[in-house]
Amino acid sequence: GWDGYKGGSCKRAIACVPLSNPIKKEKSMGWMPIFNNDSKEEKIWKDFVDSWKSHPIASNGNIVRFGSLWGGSVDGPEMLSEIGLDERIYKMSLENYRDLRERAFDRFRLGAQVLLGDDVNVKPESQENVEKEHLSGEEIEAFKIQGGYPEQDRTNRHTIAAAVVESLLRPAKGTFSVDSSGVPPEFTVLSKSVKMLPTTQEWDQLFTNPGPAEWPSPVGFVMPEVPEEFQE
């Protein structure tokens, strides 16, 4: 098995840190006033990152950034049944619509983007315009859950967990120039619309060639047929 310690000290460490520049500020699970401590969150994370970078372990570790977190339970492919959290996490909010959005991430958004540093995948204005020109209503939602459609600043909990595991299995690199045997010192994991988690070989490619996923063209998009069991 893999031994996380060497000579009595930690051999590898991963610091999981939220994006510092999210495009959309999502309500956290603890948004209700009685539980809320978000006002100090930004400073807490900044102080943590500063302390991490000055600590000796940083030379053998990585910072893995993530966007607003979604999903993480079992309402998706069979592989999630062994690793997913209890399905009740979908309801950790007073907003019913959030339950559906959480489930949609586990069903459709398990794919990964790996971006260097602390970064987001900003949706170009031209992409927004062409989608409005060629899609309407349900077509927009259907288009966004397939074809590797990228998230700007959101991350599936399963995907970030898989990224951490894959990172621990590879050595840390001291520069942003890496090969298939290592991972960047700091990178961001965002989701994209793929119904399965990346394989080890796909993680190799993501770490070797980090960058935001391309935005797909909606030109010629055809609505998929509704499976027979869901037809009225």
Side-chain angles (χ1 to χ4, degrees):
W2 181 76
D3 184 4
Y5 289 85
K6 183 178 182 180
S9 61
C10 185
K11 183 165 62 176
R12 288 281 280 113
I14 304 289
C16 294
V17 181
L19 286 168
S20 66
N21 58 338
I23 295 172
K24 182 179 180 181
K25 178 68 174 177
E26 295 279 0
K27 288 181 179 178
S28 69
M29 287 294 193
W31 65 270
M32 291 176 285
I34 191 172
F35 302 121
N36 190 282
N37 61 358
D38 288 358
S39 60
K40 299 179 181 179
E41 185 174 7
E42 186 175 338
K43 183 180 185 303
I44 290 172
W45 282 114
K46 182 181 183 304
D47 291 346
F48 171 79
V49 171
D50 290 343
S51 297
W52 167 272
K53 290 182 176 179
S54 64
H55 194 281
I57 192 60
S59 62
N60 293 315
N62 307 83
I63 294 177
V64 181
R65 298 270 183 175
F66 55 86
S68 56
L69 293 170
W70 297 82
S73 189
V74 297
D75 193 354
E78 182 62 28
M79 64 186 301
L80 301 187
S81 63
E82 296 183 359
I83 59 176
L85 299 171
D86 190 283
E87 199 166 358
R88 283 176 292 184
I89 72 161
Y90 293 136
K91 300 185 181 298
M92 289 178 62
S93 168
L94 298 181
E95 301 169 292
N96 290 331
Y97 182 53
R98 174 133 188 172
D99 176 89
L100 299 177
R101 296 168 72 193
E102 297 273 3
R103 291 176 184 275
F105 261 74
D106 284 345
R107 294 177 184 177
F108 306 112
R109 297 180 174 92
L110 292 169
Q113 307 172 73
V114 172
L115 292 72
L116 288 178
D118 177 10
D119 202 4
V120 294
N121 186 359
V122 180
K123 185 176 183 179
E125 185 176 349
S126 58
Q127 176 74 20
E128 190 74 41
N129 292 337
V130 74
E131 288 181 12
K132 290 180 179 179
E133 180 181 352
H134 293 274
L135 305 172
S136 61
E138 294 180 349
E139 291 179 335
I140 295 177
E141 295 304 314
F143 179 67
K144 290 182 177 181
I145 61 172
Q146 56 187 294
Y149 194 93
E151 290 293 326
Q152 298 187 88
D153 61 353
R154 300 192 296 179
T155 308
N156 188 302
R157 291 181 178 89
H158 287 298
T159 309
I160 185 65
V164 169
V165 171
E166 293 291 337
S167 297
L168 288 171
L169 297 175
R170 297 166 170 79
K173 295 293 184 179
T175 69
F176 283 121
S177 177
V178 301
D179 55 35
S180 60
S181 66
V183 293
E186 180 175 357
F187 62 91
T188 298
V189 177
L190 301 176
S191 291
K192 66 178 181 180
S193 291
V194 178
K195 294 182 180 181
M196 299 292 287
L197 289 168
T199 63
T200 296
Q201 292 72 28
E202 288 170 334
W203 281 113
D204 283 341
Q205 291 298 315
L206 288 166
F207 290 135
T208 304
N209 302 294
E214 294 184 0
W215 293 88
S217 172
V219 179
F221 174 74
V222 177
M223 278 286 285
E225 294 185 9
V226 178
E228 186 175 339
E229 62 267 29
F230 296 119
Q231 295 182 8
E232 295 182 356

PDB file of all heavy atoms in Angstrom, residues 53-70:
ATOM      1  N   LYS A  53       2.246  28.249   2.249  1.00  0.00           N
ATOM      2  CA  LYS A  53       3.372  28.506   1.354  1.00  0.00           C
ATOM      3  C   LYS A  53       4.673  28.746   2.111  1.00  0.00           C
ATOM      4  O   LYS A  53       5.762  28.542   1.557  1.00  0.00           O
ATOM      5  CB  LYS A  53       3.051  29.701   0.457  1.00  0.00           C
ATOM      6  CG  LYS A  53       1.967  29.404  -0.580  1.00  0.00           C
ATOM      7  CD  LYS A  53       1.694  30.588  -1.490  1.00  0.00           C
ATOM      8  CE  LYS A  53       0.673  30.241  -2.571  1.00  0.00           C
ATOM      9  NZ  LYS A  53       0.381  31.391  -3.460  1.00  0.00           N
ATOM     10  N   SER A  54       4.582  29.167   3.354  1.00  0.00           N
ATOM     11  CA  SER A  54       5.793  29.415   4.149  1.00  0.00           C
ATOM     12  C   SER A  54       6.219  28.188   4.951  1.00  0.00           C
ATOM     13  O   SER A  54       7.267  28.202   5.596  1.00  0.00           O
ATOM     14  CB  SER A  54       5.576  30.594   5.102  1.00  0.00           C
ATOM     15  OG  SER A  54       4.560  30.294   6.048  1.00  0.00           O
ATOM     16  N   HIS A  55       5.412  27.132   4.909  1.00  0.00           N
ATOM     17  CA  HIS A  55       5.702  25.919   5.676  1.00  0.00           C
ATOM     18  C   HIS A  55       6.566  24.970   4.842  1.00  0.00           C
ATOM     19  O   HIS A  55       6.402  24.882   3.627  1.00  0.00           O
ATOM     20  CB  HIS A  55       4.397  25.223   6.066  1.00  0.00           C
ATOM     21  CG  HIS A  55       4.565  24.179   7.117  1.00  0.00           C
ATOM     22  ND1 HIS A  55       5.037  22.908   6.845  1.00  0.00           N
ATOM     23  CD2 HIS A  55       4.330  24.220   8.458  1.00  0.00           C
ATOM     24  CE1 HIS A  55       5.069  22.210   7.968  1.00  0.00           C
ATOM     25  NE2 HIS A  55       4.645  22.971   8.959  1.00  0.00           N
ATOM     26  N   PRO A  56       7.489  24.227   5.468  1.00  0.00           N
ATOM     27  CA  PRO A  56       8.357  23.298   4.728  1.00  0.00           C
ATOM     28  C   PRO A  56       7.604  22.255   3.909  1.00  0.00           C
ATOM     29  O   PRO A  56       8.081  21.827   2.853  1.00  0.00           O
ATOM     30  CB  PRO A  56       9.182  22.626   5.847  1.00  0.00           C
ATOM     31  CG  PRO A  56       9.196  23.618   6.952  1.00  0.00           C
ATOM     32  CD  PRO A  56       7.865  24.320   6.896  1.00  0.00           C
ATOM     33  N   ILE A  57       6.414  21.845   4.358  1.00  0.00           N
ATOM     34  CA  ILE A  57       5.672  20.806   3.637  1.00  0.00           C
ATOM     35  C   ILE A  57       5.264  21.265   2.247  1.00  0.00           C
ATOM     36  O   ILE A  57       5.004  20.447   1.355  1.00  0.00           O
ATOM     37  CB  ILE A  57       4.423  20.374   4.440  1.00  0.00           C
ATOM     38  CG1 ILE A  57       3.819  19.100   3.850  1.00  0.00           C
ATOM     39  CG2 ILE A  57       3.378  21.485   4.439  1.00  0.00           C
ATOM     40  CD1 ILE A  57       4.740  17.914   3.841  1.00  0.00           C
ATOM     41  N   ALA A  58       5.209  22.575   2.026  1.00  0.00           N
ATOM     42  CA  ALA A  58       4.780  23.092   0.718  1.00  0.00           C
ATOM     43  C   ALA A  58       5.691  22.616  -0.408  1.00  0.00           C
ATOM     44  O   ALA A  58       5.268  22.498  -1.556  1.00  0.00           O
ATOM     45  CB  ALA A  58       4.736  24.619   0.752  1.00  0.00           C
ATOM     46  N   SER A  59       6.945  22.311  -0.086  1.00  0.00           N
ATOM     47  CA  SER A  59       7.877  21.844  -1.120  1.00  0.00           C
ATOM     48  C   SER A  59       7.554  20.430  -1.581  1.00  0.00           C
ATOM     49  O   SER A  59       8.003  19.993  -2.647  1.00  0.00           O
ATOM     50  CB  SER A  59       9.314  21.900  -0.599  1.00  0.00           C
ATOM     51  OG  SER A  59       9.480  21.044   0.526  1.00  0.00           O
ATOM     52  N   ASN A  60       6.781  19.690  -0.786  1.00  0.00           N
ATOM     53  CA  ASN A  60       6.373  18.335  -1.150  1.00  0.00           C
ATOM     54  C   ASN A  60       4.853  18.218  -1.256  1.00  0.00           C
ATOM     55  O   ASN A  60       4.290  17.145  -1.062  1.00  0.00           O
ATOM     56  CB  ASN A  60       6.878  17.331  -0.103  1.00  0.00           C
ATOM     57  CG  ASN A  60       8.385  17.210  -0.110  1.00  0.00           C
ATOM     58  OD1 ASN A  60       8.985  17.117  -1.181  1.00  0.00           O
ATOM     59  ND2 ASN A  60       8.990  17.224   1.064  1.00  0.00           N
ATOM     60  N   GLY A  61       4.228  19.322  -1.523  1.00  0.00           N
ATOM     61  CA  GLY A  61       2.773  19.305  -1.584  1.00  0.00           C
ATOM     62  C   GLY A  61       2.233  20.188  -2.694  1.00  0.00           C
ATOM     63  O   GLY A  61       2.980  20.786  -3.462  1.00  0.00           O
ATOM     64  N   ASN A  62       0.924  20.247  -2.765  1.00  0.00           N
ATOM     65  CA  ASN A  62       0.242  21.022  -3.801  1.00  0.00           C
ATOM     66  C   ASN A  62      -0.932  21.767  -3.195  1.00  0.00           C
ATOM     67  O   ASN A  62      -1.505  21.334  -2.199  1.00  0.00           O
ATOM     68  CB  ASN A  62      -0.296  20.114  -4.912  1.00  0.00           C
ATOM     69  CG  ASN A  62       0.756  19.209  -5.498  1.00  0.00           C
ATOM     70  OD1 ASN A  62       1.034  18.158  -4.953  1.00  0.00           O
ATOM     71  ND2 ASN A  62       1.346  19.631  -6.599  1.00  0.00           N
ATOM     72  N   ILE A  63      -1.290  22.867  -3.826  1.00  0.00           N
ATOM     73  CA  ILE A  63      -2.552  23.543  -3.542  1.00  0.00           C
ATOM     74  C   ILE A  63      -3.520  23.158  -4.649  1.00  0.00           C
ATOM     75  O   ILE A  63      -3.238  23.353  -5.831  1.00  0.00           O
ATOM     76  CB  ILE A  63      -2.384  25.071  -3.494  1.00  0.00           C
ATOM     77  CG1 ILE A  63      -1.507  25.477  -2.310  1.00  0.00           C
ATOM     78  CG2 ILE A  63      -3.754  25.753  -3.384  1.00  0.00           C
ATOM     79  CD1 ILE A  63      -1.238  26.974  -2.230  1.00  0.00           C
ATOM     80  N   VAL A  64      -4.647  22.582  -4.260  1.00  0.00           N
ATOM     81  CA  VAL A  64      -5.685  22.201  -5.220  1.00  0.00           C
ATOM     82  C   VAL A  64      -6.890  23.099  -4.968  1.00  0.00           C
ATOM     83  O   VAL A  64      -7.514  23.028  -3.902  1.00  0.00           O
ATOM     84  CB  VAL A  64      -6.072  20.718  -5.082  1.00  0.00           C
ATOM     85  CG1 VAL A  64      -7.137  20.364  -6.110  1.00  0.00           C
ATOM     86  CG2 VAL A  64      -4.852  19.832  -5.269  1.00  0.00           C
ATOM     87  N   ARG A  65      -7.193  23.943  -5.926  1.00  0.00           N
ATOM     88  CA  ARG A  65      -8.321  24.876  -5.812  1.00  0.00           C
ATOM     89  C   ARG A  65      -9.601  24.232  -6.339  1.00  0.00           C
ATOM     90  O   ARG A  65      -9.580  23.398  -7.244  1.00  0.00           O
ATOM     91  CB  ARG A  65      -8.029  26.129  -6.621  1.00  0.00           C
ATOM     92  CG  ARG A  65      -6.803  26.917  -6.168  1.00  0.00           C
ATOM     93  CD  ARG A  65      -7.162  27.956  -5.144  1.00  0.00           C
ATOM     94  NE  ARG A  65      -6.003  28.765  -4.741  1.00  0.00           N
ATOM     95  CZ  ARG A  65      -6.083  29.800  -3.928  1.00  0.00           C
ATOM     96  NH1 ARG A  65      -7.252  30.173  -3.441  1.00  0.00           N
ATOM     97  NH2 ARG A  65      -4.994  30.486  -3.599  1.00  0.00           N
ATOM     98  N   PHE A  66     -10.716  24.673  -5.801  1.00  0.00           N
ATOM     99  CA  PHE A  66     -12.017  24.188  -6.264  1.00  0.00           C
ATOM    100  C   PHE A  66     -13.005  25.342  -6.300  1.00  0.00           C
ATOM    101  O   PHE A  66     -12.861  26.334  -5.587  1.00  0.00           O
ATOM    102  CB  PHE A  66     -12.542  23.072  -5.352  1.00  0.00           C
ATOM    103  CG  PHE A  66     -12.614  23.447  -3.896  1.00  0.00           C
ATOM    104  CD1 PHE A  66     -13.721  24.086  -3.369  1.00  0.00           C
ATOM    105  CD2 PHE A  66     -11.550  23.147  -3.050  1.00  0.00           C
ATOM    106  CE1 PHE A  66     -13.784  24.435  -2.030  1.00  0.00           C
ATOM    107  CE2 PHE A  66     -11.601  23.482  -1.696  1.00  0.00           C
ATOM    108  CZ  PHE A  66     -12.715  24.127  -1.190  1.00  0.00           C
ATOM    109  N   GLY A  67     -14.018  25.198  -7.144  1.00  0.00           N
ATOM    110  CA  GLY A  67     -15.066  26.202  -7.223  1.00  0.00           C
ATOM    111  C   GLY A  67     -16.167  25.903  -6.216  1.00  0.00           C
ATOM    112  O   GLY A  67     -15.982  25.096  -5.300  1.00  0.00           O
ATOM    113  N   SER A  68     -17.315  26.542  -6.356  1.00  0.00           N
ATOM    114  CA  SER A  68     -18.437  26.236  -5.474  1.00  0.00           C
ATOM    115  C   SER A  68     -18.775  24.761  -5.634  1.00  0.00           C
ATOM    116  O   SER A  68     -18.827  24.240  -6.744  1.00  0.00           O
ATOM    117  CB  SER A  68     -19.644  27.118  -5.790  1.00  0.00           C
ATOM    118  OG  SER A  68     -20.025  26.993  -7.145  1.00  0.00           O
ATOM    119  N   LEU A  69     -18.989  24.073  -4.513  1.00  0.00           N
ATOM    120  CA  LEU A  69     -19.105  22.615  -4.517  1.00  0.00           C
ATOM    121  C   LEU A  69     -20.545  22.146  -4.679  1.00  0.00           C
ATOM    122  O   LEU A  69     -21.458  22.662  -4.023  1.00  0.00           O
ATOM    123  CB  LEU A  69     -18.516  22.055  -3.219  1.00  0.00           C
ATOM    124  CG  LEU A  69     -17.002  22.225  -3.068  1.00  0.00           C
ATOM    125  CD1 LEU A  69     -16.573  21.867  -1.652  1.00  0.00           C
ATOM    126  CD2 LEU A  69     -16.252  21.387  -4.088  1.00  0.00           C
ATOM    127  N   TRP A  70     -20.720  21.113  -5.524  1.00  0.00           N
ATOM    128  CA  TRP A  70     -22.031  20.556  -5.812  1.00  0.00           C
ATOM    129  C   TRP A  70     -21.923  19.034  -5.881  1.00  0.00           C
ATOM    130  O   TRP A  70     -20.854  18.478  -6.086  1.00  0.00           O
ATOM    131  CB  TRP A  70     -22.571  21.097  -7.132  1.00  0.00           C
ATOM    132  CG  TRP A  70     -22.784  22.574  -7.106  1.00  0.00           C
ATOM    133  CD1 TRP A  70     -21.845  23.550  -7.300  1.00  0.00           C
ATOM    134  CD2 TRP A  70     -24.010  23.254  -6.839  1.00  0.00           C
ATOM    135  NE1 TRP A  70     -22.406  24.794  -7.172  1.00  0.00           N
ATOM    136  CE2 TRP A  70     -23.737  24.647  -6.889  1.00  0.00           C
ATOM    137  CE3 TRP A  70     -25.296  22.828  -6.570  1.00  0.00           C
ATOM    138  CZ2 TRP A  70     -24.726  25.601  -6.681  1.00  0.00           C
ATOM    139  CZ3 TRP A  70     -26.287  23.779  -6.365  1.00  0.00           C
ATOM    140  CH2 TRP A  70     -25.998  25.147  -6.417  1.00  0.00           C
TER     141      TRP A  70
END
